[in-house]
Amino acid sequence: MGSLLLNENMKLYRRIRTWIMIGVMILILGFVNFAAWNDYSNDPQSGTWQEHVAAEKQSQLQALQKSDLNKESRSSAEEMVTLYDYQLEHDIRPVDGTLWMGINLSTNFVILVTLFTVIVAGDSMAGEFSSGTIKLLLIRPSSRLKILLSKYISMILFGFTLLIILFIVSILVNGLFYGFGHIDLPLLSVNADGDVVEQNMVANLLQTYLLKAVSTIMFVTIAFMISTAFRSSAMAIGISLFAMFAGQIATEFLRSYDWSKYVLFANLDLTSYLSGHPYQEGMTLAFSVAVLSVYFIVINLVSWIVFTKRDVAA
């Protein structure tokens, strides 16, 4: 199994396409963070951060005086006022103008990791069939299950490698732009009891990356299954990318239906539990993990049955 994994990783990282993807991701990350830093630097800031927080607090208080404010907006405004009071009382500045502003922005680029890993996974098995190299794999003494697992695991490891690169580069790039002076800045949030909670920013960032990685794993699994079942890179990549972008839109239309919480895409964004705003009221992290586990097992089972039972030598 170890030799199969090593072989798959050697094939993956020998391809120029792999390094182009990594380079493109770093370039996009650097460009967007530079643009955000440049916009902030060129925006005239008058007064201290305390004055800005006080002004924002006053703005939220004025909003709360509106009689037509809906429940969700009122709750959000009240939370912001609580946070602003806590920041002023404990002398904790906002993340604006610090490296954390850019680092938190960079978490949105996990979608690039998913996109690139899906492209690689979609071509992983189908590429072996189209080039005829699948026969060279099957003449090895290893079982078909081990061959399948080695390919799948190498795709997951590639996704995690991209996530690690994204994490490290985002810290270095934003540290270069903003400096590392506020690296110890805490993350403030309001819990269900209305109390402000201080969290470690790095720990929360790692948690965010790990939760977002679940979505990447699921889309990679789907792409790998389609690639294995239909032996078509175009179909595997196309359907997976369509599901990435259309799935969340579709679930928004279905949000009002109670049964929609069992849909795969309604459970992919596990970071919603960090903010306390799940897809539907009453959904929990354990529920979403259970739903995703069922889909994960079924999709991988399809891959295993098709690859081990079908005549793949033809």
Side-chain angles (χ1 to χ4, degrees):
M1 184 68 177
S3 60
L4 286 173
L5 268 174
L6 180 62
N7 180 59
E8 290 302 323
N9 279 283
M10 287 175 62
K11 288 194 293 185
L12 178 61
Y13 290 103
R14 279 176 179 171
R15 294 182 177 180
I16 187 66
R17 177 187 65 181
T18 302
W19 296 103
I20 290 175
M21 288 180 178
I22 294 174
V24 167
M25 184 181 71
I26 293 174
L27 286 174
I28 292 176
L29 183 66
F31 175 78
V32 172
N33 280 283
F34 171 77
W37 168 78
N38 189 59
D39 286 345
Y40 182 84
S41 300
N42 293 330
D43 186 22
Q45 301 285 328
S46 58
T48 63
W49 68 262
Q50 289 91 341
E51 292 173 335
H52 285 284
V53 169
E56 289 295 329
K57 174 187 171 182
Q58 189 60 36
S59 176
Q60 294 295 335
L61 289 173
Q62 291 175 357
L64 286 171
Q65 294 176 0
K66 297 179 180 179
S67 58
D68 59 342
L69 198 64
N70 60 51
K71 182 180 178 181
E72 185 177 347
S73 298
R74 183 171 296 278
S75 176
S76 176
E78 289 173 347
E79 286 186 5
M80 293 307 299
V81 170
T82 303
L83 283 176
Y84 292 146
D85 282 337
Y86 190 90
Q87 287 177 318
L88 293 171
E89 181 181 351
H90 295 81
D91 196 33
I92 300 175
R93 65 163 295 156
V95 296
D96 292 349
T98 72
L99 78 164
W100 290 112
M101 184 174 74
I103 292 174
N104 291 332
L105 172 66
S106 299
T107 60
N108 296 316
F109 292 100
V110 173
I111 191 172
L112 281 179
V113 173
T114 306
L115 175 65
F116 292 151
T117 312
V118 161
I119 291 173
V120 173
D123 186 55
S124 177
M125 191 62 76
E128 299 285 1
F129 284 105
S130 61
S131 63
T133 52
I134 186 65
K135 296 177 183 178
L136 299 177
L137 286 174
L138 293 178
I139 62 175
R140 289 172 174 246
S142 301
S143 66
R144 291 186 179 184
L145 177 59
K146 287 184 177 180
I147 293 173
L148 187 72
L149 278 175
S150 65
K151 281 191 165 294
Y152 178 71
I153 292 173
S154 67
M155 296 301 101
I156 299 299
L157 290 177
F158 176 64
F160 274 99
T161 299
L162 292 185
L163 283 173
I164 292 171
I165 292 173
L166 179 66
F167 178 79
I168 294 174
V169 172
S170 68
I171 292 177
L172 294 178
V173 166
N174 287 287
L176 177 65
F177 291 150
Y178 300 98
F180 292 94
H182 299 285
I183 191 83
D184 59 344
L185 198 65
L187 174 68
L188 303 180
S189 60
V190 180
N191 61 23
D193 298 324
D195 299 321
V196 177
V197 179
E198 290 190 27
Q199 296 175 286
N200 183 277
M201 196 78 79
V202 176
N204 182 78
L205 184 67
L206 287 172
Q207 190 176 16
T208 300
Y209 269 81
L210 287 175
L211 291 179
K212 283 181 176 287
V214 173
S215 175
T216 300
I217 291 172
M218 290 305 302
F219 282 116
V220 167
T221 304
I222 292 171
F224 188 78
M225 181 270 290
I226 298 173
S227 178
T228 303
F230 296 99
R231 308 179 185 182
S232 171
S233 301
M235 183 182 292
I237 296 171
I239 293 176
S240 300
L241 294 185
F242 176 79
M244 277 179 59
F245 297 106
Q248 290 300 320
I249 297 175
T251 51
E252 286 303 313
F253 288 103
L254 300 173
R255 189 187 288 268
S256 59
Y257 298 98
D258 185 63
W259 55 263
S260 65
K261 64 184 178 183
Y262 297 103
V263 176
L264 170 65
F265 307 106
N267 295 276
L268 286 176
D269 185 16
L270 298 182
T271 58
S272 61
Y273 293 105
L274 292 178
S275 60
H277 298 93
Y279 174 72
Q280 283 185 359
E281 196 71 29
M283 288 178 63
T284 63
L285 178 60
F287 172 82
S288 288
V289 170
V291 171
L292 291 174
S293 297
V294 173
Y295 279 103
F296 181 81
I297 293 171
V298 171
I299 295 170
N300 276 298
L301 192 60
V302 171
S303 297
W304 175 73
I305 292 173
V306 170
F307 186 67
T308 57
K309 303 300 181 183
R310 206 172 177 187
D311 180 14
V312 296

